[in-house]
Amino acid sequence: MASARTLVEKTIVPIRSDRDIVTAREQGRGVALLLGFSPTEVTLIATAISELARNIVLYAGTGEMVLGLVEESKKRGMVIVARDEGPGIADVRRAVVDGYSTSGGLGLGLPGVRRLMDEFDISSELGKGTTVTIRKWKR
Amino acid sequence: MADTRMSSTPVISPPARDESTTVLLRELVAHLRQSRTQLREEWARRITEAKLLTAMTPEEIFAEATAVYDNYLEALETGSIEALETYARNLSERIIPRGVETHEVVGIVLLLRDVLARSLFAKYQQDFHQLNRILDAYEPAANRIANTVAVGFVQERERVIRQQQEAIRELSTPVLPVRERLLVLPVIGIIDPQRARQLTEQLLRGIRINRAKVVVMDITGVPAMDATVANHLVQTVEASRLLGATVIVTGLSPEIAQTLVNIGVDLGKMNTVGDLQGGIEEAERLLGYKVIPITVEAPVATS
Amino acid sequence: MAVPILKQRDYLIANIQAALTDDDLRKLRDALVAQVGEFRSRGVIVDVTALDVMDSFAVRTLRDLAHMSRLRGAETVIVGIQPEVAFAMTQLGLTLEGVATALDLEEGLAYLDRKTKRKTTVR
């Protein structure tokens, strides 16, 4: 995307254990509240963070979440980047389709996360890791 | 993957100015400041003449003109439009409720631009070379200011309109408590995804506040529904159940029934009754009410 | 953070008071399933009023708890799901299917009373 998108402020939460999942979503809730999202939107954002943070713990062991305020022309919103250097996902396209799962019914929950947010990008390379970027714009 | 640049540069950066431009602008600002009283009056007079800002009194126009004038000069001098932006937003907030139109705001800023340009012509008419250079410095800055004020106004108006739309939408889907623990939600008109979402949020809040156990959602007034909205409807029913309330949907048109069947809704999850009356009767049954008609023979209380 | 479990009549009531880690949730599930047998409980109430997020793990764990308790003879009801949380859950596609839900503790108790009404034929 060529448009000017600026990440104005950011917080980085390292993800190493299931305790950090709680930290990440609480921090994310704080950022979303500051941005003036409605209670429902704040909950959607916190839930999405929880899902992505758990994927890191579950599939990569460790990683980090970047929580930030993003601006694009006159739009403001929140961006969340979940990064890990885990095993990566073999078939990214299938991972974001409902019903796909690699771990016997658990699933990555990515289609759900996608529904919670406005934008969803994923890049993954086998053996290198996965980065998921999600955004929600203020309406 | 889309870019996510991790930098912290400000979003709006003023266009670079070279030294000579800065000097020229400073010179012309000094001149405009000197002629402040006279130019400001001239501007206010022309605003009245052009029948702009008719919703405001002459005193108000003069007060705003003074503030805009000073902010305008500051923006010219410093090249920073932040203060002006803030002022323009405040001004818009104040004048929009009074019915000031976009063309009036654009009109007054263009008038000021004109008043100031004429004053520059008058001052530098002897020296065409200098006048040219002054105008070269003035024009882009003035255009940028005019743009800022106009855009600020339009954005503020859009914000107000959005707010009103929200309010109208909220009014358009009343959540009505009709009996203890029973809510009726008549839905009328087209449902788009945004309205579906708002409707769900309102209903969920209503369930909690009224401690509702049963909700009758009547969609007789909904002409059509695509698969996306039908899915929202199913989600509304599911979310209500999570709060402990049962939703009875009534008034499904044949078309909507077809949509629901086509998208493969689990009908076991949907509690549907033909019409609103039947829905309320079913709700009363679920809540344990028994409606007994009062007959003429029934004893009547005397006062 | 351990969740206090209250025993009232033949019901167990777990009152979650703050955000829980996955591990806390697993412990809560195991403790409840164990106590159902220990106290011969007929019903379990989990009050989630304080939870501001219920993600897929929380929902799955609560559903498992309900199913495991049922196998051991107790009915489970989840009470106090917040409106925003319910909305987010359905967006994620998590609907706690097959698990009873109620508005609050009071409603949860009423539900269990109806559900577990024993055919008390005194002699």
Side-chain angles (χ1 to χ4, degrees), chain B residues 92-112:
Chain B
S92 306
E93 254 171 56
R94 271 181 282 127
I95 62 180
I96 286 169
R98 308 188 51 176
V100 174
E101 300 284 339
T102 311
H103 80 266
E104 295 183 277
V105 169
V106 175
I108 63 165
V109 178
L110 291 180
L111 273 182
L112 178 59

Side-chain angles (χ1 to χ4, degrees), chain A residues 4 70-77 137-138, chain B residues 11-12 81 85 89 148 151-152 155 158 162:
Chain A
V70 68
E71 287 186 349
E72 182 185 281
S73 55
K74 287 284 171 183
K75 278 197 300 186
R76 275 156 69 86
W137 298 106
K138 280 256 349 226
Chain B
V11 184
I12 304 158
I81 50 167
E85 254 180 344
R89 212 174 309 127
T148 303
V151 168
Q155 276 176 347
E158 280 169 358
R162 267 201 305 277

